[in-house]
């Protein structure tokens, strides 16, 4: 049986900034509209974290039973390593999604926007079919689209709307910035696995673009996130605080430009996650000032 430490590792805590950052940014955008609610923000955070863990376990299960993880460079996987049975990993996936659904229903009961239940319900099949099902879209190069929509637009704008009952251009720019960094995280992950994914028939966007264009895409996504902050400065001058993340960008950008590959990209994955988290926290803080 897998140990608690192995289950925790397989939940991939290094990816959790992709869940924390949009809630922080969305709550800041709600505060800018004089509509921030701490408890609603907490519920949104539970939804985001549970969905992220659910996605990670779902990928562990689906990639594991397909044999995609048989020759793996990245973090430990439960199914592929046979440390846990596929059924146990599937049960953990369902439990994570159930927690996200319960917290989401509670949030909607407080804000009254029940039509968002349709959006929330769409998150679960979108998360599952990323690597699950007969024709997973993550294997056809559409993973970044899912991440940008659900961990960028939906997460940030949903957080703002359930607190302030409306959204703004600032919330939209924040959503685009967060979505771009979440995509950069995925590009790094897929760049690390580009050879094993291609060999196993997992044609991610990185596999389709190739090594060089994927590295350029990473830099474009980071640049897009910074550009969104520039758009906010006229109305929210404290947004300049986000540029405090610039020194942290030096190491991952240098590694990507220098051609780091395989396990050499693990620090880039870690650093990109930290940058996204700090971006979201500083953006949330600056918008609330």
């Amino acid at each position: 049986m897998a140990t608690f430490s192995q289950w925790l590792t397989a939940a991939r805590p290094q990816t959790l900034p992709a869940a924390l950052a949009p809630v922080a940014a969305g709550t800041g955008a709600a505060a800018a509209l004089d509509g921030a609610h701490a408890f609603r923000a907490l519920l949104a955070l539970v939804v985001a974290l549970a969905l992220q863990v659910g996605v990670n376990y779902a990928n562990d299960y689906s990639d594991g039973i397909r044999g995609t993880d048989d020759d793996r460079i990245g973090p430990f996987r439960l199914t592929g390593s046979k440390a846990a049975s596929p059924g146990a990993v599937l049960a953990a996936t369902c439990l994570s999604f159930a927690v996200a659904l319960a917290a989401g229903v509670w949030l909607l009961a407080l804000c009254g926007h029940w039509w968002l239940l349709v959006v929330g319900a769409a998150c679960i099949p979108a998360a599952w079919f990323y690597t699950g099902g007969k024709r997973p879209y993550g294997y056809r190069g559409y993973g970044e689209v899912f991440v940008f929509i659900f961990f960028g637009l939906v997460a940030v704008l949903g957080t703002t709307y359930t607190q302030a009952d409306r959204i703004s251009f600032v919330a939209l720019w924040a959503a685009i910035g967060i979505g771009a960094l979440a995509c950069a995280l995925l590009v790094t992950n897929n760049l690390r696995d580009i050879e094993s994914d291609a060999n196993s028939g997992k044609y991610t966007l990185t596999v389709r673009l190739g090594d060089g264009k994927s590295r350029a895409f990473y830099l474009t996504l980071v640049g897009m996130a910074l550009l969104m902050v520039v758009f906010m400065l006229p109305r929210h001058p404290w947004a300049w605080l986000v540029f405090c993340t610039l020194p942290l960008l030096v190491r991952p950008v240098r590694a990507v430009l220098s051609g780091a590959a395989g396990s050499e990209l693990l620090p880039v994955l870690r650093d990109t996650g930290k940058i996204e988290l700090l971006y979201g926290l500083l953006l949330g803080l600056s918008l609330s000032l």
Side-chain angles (χ1 to χ4, degrees), residues 10-45:
R12 302 182 69 183
Q14 73 273 18
T15 66
L16 296 185
L20 292 166
V23 175
T27 300
L33 295 170
D34 297 321
H37 291 270
F39 188 64
R40 294 184 191 182
L42 178 62
L43 287 174
L45 180 59

Side-chain angles (χ1 to χ4, degrees), residues 101-115:
L101 181 61
V105 169
W106 192 353
L107 177 59
L108 295 182
L110 292 177
C111 70
H113 300 300
W114 286 104
W115 66 271

Side-chain angles (χ1 to χ4, degrees), residues 117-203:
L117 188 60
V118 177
V119 179
C123 293
I124 294 176
W128 174 257
F129 289 109
Y130 173 55
T131 56
K134 293 182 178 179
R135 294 177 60 84
Y137 63 86
Y139 279 58
R140 292 183 286 161
Y142 299 118
E144 283 76 6
V145 175
F146 159 75
V147 166
F148 183 78
I149 292 175
F150 288 98
F151 285 95
L153 300 183
V154 171
V156 176
L157 297 179
T159 297
T160 301
Y161 190 69
T162 53
Q163 293 181 54
D165 298 319
R166 58 195 176 107
I167 58 175
S168 62
F169 278 113
V170 168
L172 177 60
W173 292 328
I176 293 172
I178 292 290
L181 288 176
C183 286
L185 199 62
L186 180 58
V187 169
T188 305
N189 183 79
N190 291 341
L191 191 60
R192 180 200 64 207
D193 298 332
I194 188 169
E195 290 188 12
S196 60
D197 283 346
N199 292 335
S200 62
K202 186 177 181 180
Y203 295 107

Side-chain angles (χ1 to χ4, degrees), residues 60-72:
D60 186 303
Y61 169 79
S62 297
D63 285 344
I65 62 174
R66 280 192 172 87
T68 307
D69 288 338
D70 289 348
D71 182 20
R72 182 170 175 78

